[in-house]
Amino acid sequence: GAGVSQSPRYKVAKRGQDVALRCDPISGHVSLFWYQQALGQGPEFLTYFQNEAQLDKSGLPSDRFFAERPEGSVSTLKIQRTQQEDSAVYLCASSSRTQRNEQFFGPGTRLTVL
Amino acid sequence: QKEVEQDPGPLSVPEGAIVSLNCTYSNSAFQYFMWYRQYSRKGPELLMYTYSSGNKEDGRFTAQVDKSSKYISLFIRDSQPSDSATYLCAMTQGAQKLVFGQGTRLTINP
């Protein structure tokens, strides 16, 4: 595919469940970002990878949030013991080595925690 | 106070009007400025990307940056109903995380 893809598009979890959200970046893009978007707000940064290295995880709200990109392509954002305040849209973005400031976003995963 | 401030609107204008969307920011380290358009239940789509102060035009869209005032704008000429969306300003120090405004919800009425 030509763009960033994310799966699942929608996820409903019971409070306390673990969830895993997947991001497939644009082929060849070295940088990958995760953002969290609450209803009616702009996206907020969670974490950033360059290839397989996680260079910035300052936006992860708690140690229940964990992200990985083991082979430098697909990334997974994992949330353990979900809470209601984790309900949001989780967006993934990628950028290329030559146009590092232009981030292209996927459609997002809408997580609802009951 | 947030690093990037954006009036959330909503903003409603008639078709054909000129639309002006604005953001202010406090961090003088921001060097790169973007405007994204986000339709309901979709991811943000990059519209405009600028680096220096001044204007950049792309079709009906003009992005303006004033680094001395820490103020950026997006102008939409000849607005169309298909322009109805949420517009997000974003900025970065360079090859790093984007810091977004809250987004302005825009409706163009036929």
Side-chain angles (χ1 to χ4, degrees):
Chain A
V4 178
S5 61
Q6 292 186 244
S7 61
R9 290 294 315 278
Y10 303 91
K11 177 69 178 177
V12 178
K14 292 183 179 179
R15 190 172 55 184
Q17 281 186 333
D18 298 348
V19 298
L21 313 180
R22 176 187 169 108
C23 172
D24 282 84
I26 293 172
S27 178
H29 277 195
V30 299
S31 297
L32 186 146
F33 300 81
W34 284 98
Y35 294 85
Q36 180 190 60
Q37 187 174 25
L39 188 64
Q41 302 295 316
E44 293 198 356
F45 171 77
L46 293 176
T47 187
Y48 158 52
F49 291 86
Q50 185 167 312
N51 296 306
E52 67 278 3
Q54 189 174 19
L55 299 185
D56 186 351
K57 54 182 182 179
S58 62
L60 295 176
S62 76
D63 58 8
R64 296 186 296 103
F65 287 71
F66 172 77
E68 60 183 5
R69 194 186 185 198
E71 297 179 358
S73 55
V74 171
S75 177
T76 303
L77 176 67
K78 298 179 179 179
I79 309 173
Q80 297 177 321
R81 304 181 303 282
T82 53
Q83 306 291 316
Q84 284 190 321
E85 61 263 27
D86 300 335
S87 295
V89 175
Y90 291 85
L91 294 163
C92 175
S94 69
S95 64
S96 70
R97 187 185 306 276
T98 54
Q99 295 178 302
R100 297 191 302 169
N101 294 309
E102 296 187 41
Q103 295 183 24
F104 296 91
F105 282 80
T109 294
R110 182 177 296 272
L111 173 65
T112 303
V113 182
L114 304 177
Chain B
Q1 184 181 3
K2 292 187 175 183
E3 280 189 288
V4 180
E5 298 280 356
Q6 182 177 10
D7 187 339
L11 181 62
S12 181
V13 301
E15 182 175 356
I18 295 175
V19 176
S20 172
L21 304 168
N22 312 293
C23 289
T24 59
Y25 62 96
S26 57
N27 187 349
S28 58
F30 289 138
Q31 296 292 324
Y32 303 88
F33 305 90
M34 297 86 177
W35 285 94
Y36 283 84
R37 177 174 63 195
Q38 187 173 28
Y39 291 114
S40 181
R41 296 185 179 270
K42 302 288 187 183
E45 171 194 2
L46 182 62
L47 275 180
M48 300 285 286
Y49 162 63
T50 57
Y51 168 67
S52 57
S53 284
N55 294 352
K56 180 178 180 180
E57 190 173 317
D58 184 1
R60 296 184 296 110
F61 298 90
T62 299
Q64 192 173 78
V65 173
D66 183 346
K67 288 186 179 180
S68 63
S69 301
K70 298 190 180 67
Y71 187 88
I72 69 170
S73 300
L74 178 71
F75 298 95
I76 307 174
R77 291 183 300 282
D78 188 24
S79 55
Q80 306 293 311
S82 58
D83 295 329
S84 299
T86 295
Y87 288 79
L88 297 153
C89 64
M91 45 202 79
T92 178
Q93 296 182 40
Q96 298 176 25
K97 64 181 181 182
L98 294 177
V99 180
F100 283 86
Q102 184 176 351
T104 300
R105 177 177 280 186
L106 172 67
T107 301
I108 309 297
N109 301 302

